[in-house]
Amino acid sequence: MPAPIRLRELIRTIRTARTQAEEREMIQKECAAIRSSFREEDNTYRCRNVAKLLYMHMLGYPAHFGQLECLKLIASQKFTDKRIGYLGAMLLLDERQDVHLLMTNCIKNDLNHSTQYVQGLALCTLGCMGSSEMCRDLAGEVEKLLKTSNSYLRKKAALCAVHVIRKVPELMEMFLPATKNLLSEKNHGVLHTSVVLLTEMCERSPDMLAHFRKLVPQLVRILKNLIMSGYSPEHDVSGISDPFLQVRILRLLRILGKSDDDSSEAMNDILAQVATNTETSKNVGNAILYETVLTIMDIKSESGLRVLAINILGRFLLNNDKNIRYVALTSLLKTVQTDHNAVQRHRSTIVDCLKDLDVSIKRRAMELSFALVNGNNIRGMMKELLYFLDSCDPEFKADCASGVFLAAEKYAPSKRWHIDTIMRVLTTAGSYVRDDSVPNLIQLITNSVEMHAYTVQRLYKALLDDISQQPLVQVASWCIGEYGDLLVSGQCEEEEPIQVTEDEVLDVLEGLLVSNLSTPVTRGYALTAIMKLSTRFSSVNRIKKVVSIYGSSIDVELQQRAVEYNALFKKYDHMRPALLERMPIMEKTATNGPTEIVQTNGETEPSVVEAKHPPPVTQPANQANDLLDLLGGNDVVPVIQTTMPTKPASAGGELLDLLGDLSLSGIPPMTAYSKNGLKIDFTFERANPNPNIAVITIHASNSTEADMTDFVFQAAVPKTFQLQLLSPSSNVVPALNQGTVTQVIRVLNLQKQQLRMRIKLTYTHKGSPVQDLAEVNNFPPQSWHAHPSLGLIG
């Protein structure tokens, strides 16, 4: 058989291929020749063939048929064969394949070989792909080589020991005696690998961490020698002595000094020296400084040292390298909570990063800017962030708008500034704001009694300029409906009042009803605003005409509102002024659980919805508040109540007669889940007085012969819904349908979308835990559609 071609010739041939198909053909042809050579047990060219096979493996072609040939090369006495064999084993074998266990004896023999290079090959292979079984068998040999005086073998043995510890952590103590003298070695390679080994041991064992804390002075001494030593061509990188070893030592010091006063005290001076003496003109120096900063921030360092670290990060922000700027912003974001004042000194540099072209830097700068906002700098920071909101890419607008809302709510210097800021956000990024921004701004405006005239005038001007930002249009419509009389009378004192007639205001609202830009929700706001103006303006006949027109609208929601408003004009006109008077002040409670906004006139307290023990709902002091509550559907956050209020007795009773029965008792129950003997049925009712809340009661029954214990029912709904899960009646579902477990679910569906739910069931049956997921998409339409007579609320 002719001699196979050499590796260089194969590479040259493959590189001449013009197409992928031509390359595959060459590879297949060569693989066939290599297989033939393997079958003939050709020892002469086995090394050459395996080398070619490894090259083809690197190109992505299958080479698994060469695994056993690698083992044969490892068993050879020739160093060149062993080298290729071990390389092939590291590339083609791993611990998932049983073939690798056949190497164990060969590696053990080579670890005791008389030639250091053969020992080095065995150590590299074991440290690269040794399984836990191999590591247990060969740990003794590795520990023996760790104590040898040969620095070439010690550095390889140290890295191999790291792999052994990762695979078999209980063998860690075996290497403890060998680590005593590792840091006294002069060879930088041994020092480096020794620090890696110590780091691994400290990270994996608290006992080892406590044991090695006594090495801190020695590590400090090594680091000081590296900093103060002169030029050493063997270790110099861009004018810095062995930066790789410095970084490793700093990382180990960080682990040893964390939560330990004595260790931190011992390393404070050297960290200050590294921070002040390291050259920053090259990337090598920046890498050491960054590691120094991380170490200073993690240990119990002095306050002056922490300020120095933050100043280093501040200098990084001025660097031309984008990676260094990004690293600095990320690090400052982590430290801003603990060292707020020190980071504040670099505020102007951080804000300048908002103008960076790199999107990742812009995002980090935005997050850090919001973290720096406080009561002292709120005006200046908001000015910069609002400018950023104007010019940033769409992907940033939602997060930026959300951040501005939160910061303004927390640190607003005045209510006027707060309102102006929110309106500016709605004007520039209205399409990107969160869903709750509209009710939150409405609540803010309602509570700012002295700002009503100013706010309605500003919003009216904004409507004349742009009606494309739907959240802004919705807030403006609500305000005009509430305070339209203040707009027309020109009572604004904060700025020059504008001259507006009633007809001009109605023209704007009617324009919203017919605009193609308006969403159905916006049209609902506009129609309700027009209806409210019937008690504030004298143009009642015009308003009646507009309302009657939409009584036949193809939009069911709009039609429903118009029909009910027409009923108010005709049959219940005597109640209209009370129903449509201004909304009272709204209070918002903040708790860990679900919250609600309750309208109050000084006699009503806000209430909180708890999952397990709901408090009783306080009754409003007069019926007018109830009626206003019914009309405020799109204007306030709906109230979730846990008990039914008693039925009003006077004028409100007439309105409730108009609205009819709010219950859903006519909806038949549905089966949501039936599997393995467990059956889940849903029954429905509507929570009075808010029909946007569906109350679903689950009934879990068990038809098997054994009880289902530890029963847990969980449910999730899309983000447009809000879900509250109350406590179950029991956690044991009795066998043979002898009883049921009930649990109440409350679902808030403001947008009247089709209800979808994902449920998770967990229980123990006959001693075995069972877990199952299911989706429920077949809810009857009546369970999520509003009652035909509830358009006033929707």
Side-chain angles (χ1 to χ4, degrees):
M1 186 175 179
I5 60 173
R6 295 178 181 274
L7 176 59
R8 287 186 180 182
E9 294 174 18
L10 176 66
I11 295 172
R12 195 178 299 116
T13 305
I14 290 175
R15 285 181 176 174
T16 61
R18 297 181 180 179
T19 64
Q20 190 75 30
E22 191 176 341
E23 179 185 292
R24 278 198 301 270
E25 185 181 350
M26 292 176 182
I27 295 290
Q28 289 170 358
K29 184 177 179 182
E30 187 61 30
C31 282
I34 291 172
R35 279 193 180 93
S36 299
S37 178
F38 286 165
R39 279 195 296 269
E40 294 175 8
E41 294 291 332
D42 186 356
N43 296 327
T44 308
Y45 297 109
R46 180 178 287 124
C47 180
R48 181 185 297 181
N49 286 331
V50 171
K52 289 188 291 184
L53 203 57
L54 295 180
Y55 175 71
M56 288 185 269
H57 170 75
M58 291 164 62
L59 293 178
Y61 293 96
H64 55 277
F65 59 88
Q67 291 172 347
L68 288 175
E69 303 303 315
C70 293
L71 299 182
K72 292 175 183 177
L73 288 175
I74 290 171
S76 170
Q77 296 302 313
K78 294 171 63 178
F79 177 75
T80 52
D81 287 356
K82 280 186 180 291
R83 186 174 58 181
I84 295 296
Y86 277 123
L87 178 61
M90 286 186 271
L91 288 175
L92 302 181
L93 292 174
D94 58 47
E95 58 184 280
R96 291 171 295 181
Q97 296 155 340
D98 293 336
V99 179
H100 81 281
L101 295 173
L102 301 175
M103 299 167 50
T104 306
N105 194 50
C106 290
I107 291 178
K108 184 173 184 178
N109 292 335
D110 287 341
L111 287 174
N112 296 305
H113 201 277
S114 58
T115 306
Q116 64 174 9
Y117 300 110
V118 174
Q119 291 175 294
L121 287 175
L123 285 169
C124 286
T125 306
L126 180 60
C128 177
M129 47 77 64
S131 63
S132 54
E133 292 88 350
M134 289 176 68
C135 290
R136 279 195 182 89
D137 293 340
L138 302 175
E141 275 70 20
V142 175
E143 190 263 346
K144 202 182 301 177
L145 290 174
L146 200 55
K147 294 178 180 177
T148 184
S149 59
N150 188 326
S151 58
Y152 174 82
L153 291 177
R154 288 184 83 183
K155 65 182 180 183
K156 291 181 180 292
L159 289 180
C160 188
V162 172
H163 180 79
V164 172
I165 290 171
R166 286 174 182 167
K167 288 293 179 184
V168 195
E170 56 266 28
L171 294 178
M172 196 183 305
E173 291 188 7
M174 176 187 290
F175 298 102
L176 189 58
T179 59
K180 288 180 180 178
N181 301 320
L182 285 175
L183 294 182
S184 59
E185 177 71 42
K186 299 297 182 185
N187 184 282
H188 281 217
V190 177
L191 275 176
H192 189 119
T193 54
S194 302
V195 172
V196 173
L197 175 60
L198 294 176
T199 303
E200 185 70 25
M201 295 171 81
C202 290
E203 285 178 339
R204 289 186 173 271
S205 169
D207 295 336
M208 292 293 176
L209 178 61
H211 175 78
F212 287 128
R213 281 206 168 109
K214 63 186 179 184
L215 297 178
V216 169
Q218 195 173 354
L219 289 167
V220 167
R221 193 162 52 249
I222 294 170
L223 189 56
K224 189 173 184 179
N225 290 337
L226 286 171
I227 297 170
M228 306 306 291
S229 64
Y231 173 73
S232 171
E234 186 181 355
H235 307 118
D236 184 82
V237 178
S238 299
I240 294 177
S241 178
D242 204 341
F244 305 102
L245 180 56
Q246 288 192 46
V247 166
R248 283 291 180 182
I249 292 174
L250 287 167
R251 199 169 296 172
L252 179 55
L253 287 174
R254 181 160 80 244
I255 295 169
L256 295 173
K258 192 169 185 178
S259 304
D260 187 79
D261 293 323
D262 295 337
S263 299
S264 299
E265 179 66 28
M267 61 183 76
N268 272 334
D269 291 342
I270 190 63
L271 292 175
Q273 286 185 32
V274 175
T276 52
N277 294 338
T278 302
E279 178 62 44
T280 60
S281 60
K282 299 290 177 61
N283 202 39
V284 176
N286 290 327
I288 294 173
L289 283 176
Y290 176 61
E291 204 66 41
T292 306
V293 168
L294 294 181
T295 302
I296 290 171
M297 290 304 175
D298 263 16
I299 68 171
K300 293 189 174 183
S301 53
E302 299 168 351
S303 59
L305 199 56
R306 298 179 75 85
V307 172
L308 175 62
I310 290 171
N311 290 341
I312 291 172
L313 295 176
R315 291 205 305 272
F316 280 0
L317 292 176
L318 302 172
N319 199 294
N320 293 327
D321 192 314
K322 292 181 180 180
N323 294 320
I324 294 176
R325 292 205 300 277
Y326 180 82
V327 160
L329 288 167
T330 304
S331 302
L332 287 171
L333 194 58
K334 293 176 182 176
T335 60
V336 68
Q337 300 303 326
T338 54
D339 298 273
H340 190 82
N341 292 332
V343 180
Q344 281 283 2
R345 297 191 186 101
H346 305 280
R347 190 172 68 234
S348 59
T349 313
I350 293 166
V351 169
D352 286 341
C353 291
L354 291 171
K355 303 168 188 172
D356 201 287
L357 297 177
D358 190 285
V359 291
S360 57
I361 291 177
K362 270 197 283 196
R363 181 167 293 281
R364 281 286 179 265
M366 181 185 72
E367 293 169 356
L368 184 54
S369 297
F370 281 120
L372 291 176
V373 173
N374 59 28
N376 298 323
N377 61 27
I378 180 71
R379 291 181 184 272
M381 289 297 290
M382 282 299 110
K383 184 179 178 182
E384 294 289 346
L385 288 164
L386 287 171
Y387 176 76
F388 173 72
L389 182 63
D390 283 339
S391 57
C392 68
D393 297 331
E395 62 190 280
F396 293 104
K397 288 188 182 291
D399 291 335
C400 187
S402 179
V404 170
F405 283 160
L406 293 172
E409 184 177 355
K410 193 172 182 181
Y411 301 111
S414 66
K415 286 188 176 180
R416 175 175 174 174
W417 182 92
H418 193 177
I419 291 170
D420 286 344
T421 301
I422 301 301
M423 285 173 55
R424 171 85 181 275
V425 174
L426 292 178
T427 305
T428 55
S431 304
Y432 298 93
V433 298
R434 299 180 315 188
D435 294 340
D436 61 351
S437 60
V438 172
N440 284 347
L441 181 54
I442 287 173
Q443 183 218 354
L444 173 65
I445 293 169
T446 304
N447 294 351
S448 309
V449 178
E450 69 281 2
M451 302 297 299
H452 287 169
Y454 168 75
T455 305
V456 72
Q457 182 169 306
R458 284 288 311 275
L459 287 167
Y460 180 76
K461 287 180 179 178
L463 270 189
L464 295 178
D465 294 336
D466 181 19
I467 61 170
S468 62
Q469 305 287 358
Q470 294 303 292
L472 178 68
V473 175
Q474 291 166 13
V475 175
S477 300
W478 188 92
C479 283
I480 292 171
E482 288 291 318
Y483 316 117
D485 52 336
L486 301 179
L487 176 64
V488 172
S489 63
Q491 296 181 14
C492 183
E493 297 178 358
E494 284 75 12
E495 63 180 14
E496 183 180 350
I498 58 174
Q499 299 300 319
V500 186
T501 65
E502 292 181 1
D503 286 337
E504 288 174 339
V505 174
L506 291 172
D507 286 342
V508 170
L509 292 174
E510 288 180 34
L512 296 178
L513 286 171
V514 299
S515 172
N516 291 330
L517 296 173
S518 297
T519 63
V521 175
T522 303
R523 291 193 177 96
Y525 272 94
L527 187 61
T528 302
I530 291 173
M531 183 63 187
K532 288 179 179 179
L533 291 177
S534 68
T535 62
R536 296 153 174 76
F537 287 0
S538 58
S539 312
V540 178
N541 290 330
R542 177 178 177 180
I543 293 172
K544 280 184 181 180
K545 193 179 296 184
V546 172
V547 170
S548 63
I549 288 172
Y550 285 92
S552 56
S553 171
I554 59 172
D555 185 334
V556 177
E557 172 70 20
L558 212 56
Q559 180 191 107
Q560 184 175 311
R561 286 174 183 271
V563 167
E564 289 163 354
Y565 294 158
N566 271 323
L568 282 180
F569 273 125
K570 295 174 183 176
K571 187 177 177 182
Y572 300 95
D573 197 52
H574 63 286
M575 297 168 55
R576 185 164 52 85
L579 281 169
L580 301 177
E581 69 180 22
R582 283 186 189 165
M583 297 289 288
I585 291 175
M586 294 178 282
E587 291 185 5
K588 184 176 182 180
T589 63
T591 67
N592 293 329
T595 63
E596 54 182 303
I597 293 177
V598 178
Q599 302 160 15
T600 175
N601 58 358
E603 300 171 354
T604 311
E605 292 296 328
S607 60
V608 182
V609 178
E610 296 286 351
K612 293 186 179 179
H613 305 292
V617 176
T618 53
Q619 188 68 15
N622 55 57
Q623 302 303 331
N625 276 354
D626 281 333
L627 303 178
L628 283 168
D629 208 15
L630 290 171
L631 280 177
N634 273 334
D635 307 332
V636 297
V637 176
V639 181
I640 303 177
Q641 297 178 322
T642 54
T643 62
M644 299 299 179
T646 58
K647 187 173 181 180
S650 60
E654 298 180 45
L655 182 64
L656 290 174
D657 291 338
L658 166 68
L659 298 180
D661 183 15
L662 305 187
S663 72
L664 293 180
S665 56
I667 300 179
M670 62 170 283
T671 299
Y673 178 90
S674 182
K675 189 175 178 182
N676 299 329
L678 177 62
K679 185 179 179 184
I680 306 290
D681 291 325
F682 285 177
T683 58
F684 304 90
E685 60 180 318
R686 185 79 72 184
N688 286 322
N690 193 338
N692 291 319
I693 300 175
V695 180
I696 305 172
T697 305
I698 75 160
H699 303 267
S701 57
N702 171 18
S703 60
T704 66
E705 297 178 356
D707 290 348
M708 295 178 177
T709 59
D710 301 326
F711 175 75
V712 177
F713 174 91
Q714 295 172 291
V717 290
K719 290 183 178 179
T720 52
F721 302 88
Q722 292 181 24
L723 181 141
Q724 181 189 10
L725 202 59
L726 302 188
S727 299
S729 59
S730 171
N731 65 348
V732 178
V733 188
L736 301 173
N737 294 323
Q738 293 179 359
T740 61
V741 172
T742 60
Q743 190 168 3
V744 175
I745 309 171
R746 298 174 186 270
V747 180
L748 177 61
N749 185 2
L750 284 176
Q751 302 180 15
K752 299 187 182 64
Q753 296 183 354
Q754 180 175 357
L755 182 57
R756 293 180 291 115
M757 186 181 293
R758 178 171 292 178
I759 62 175
K760 180 180 179 181
L761 301 164
T762 309
Y763 57 91
T764 302
H765 191 228
K766 296 181 180 179
S768 301
V770 181
Q771 182 175 302
D772 198 12
L773 294 171
E775 288 199 13
V776 185
N777 297 321
N778 57 338
F779 285 92
Q782 303 96 314
S783 65
W784 49 271
H785 269 315
H787 192 280
S789 61
L790 295 177
L792 287 171
I793 295 149

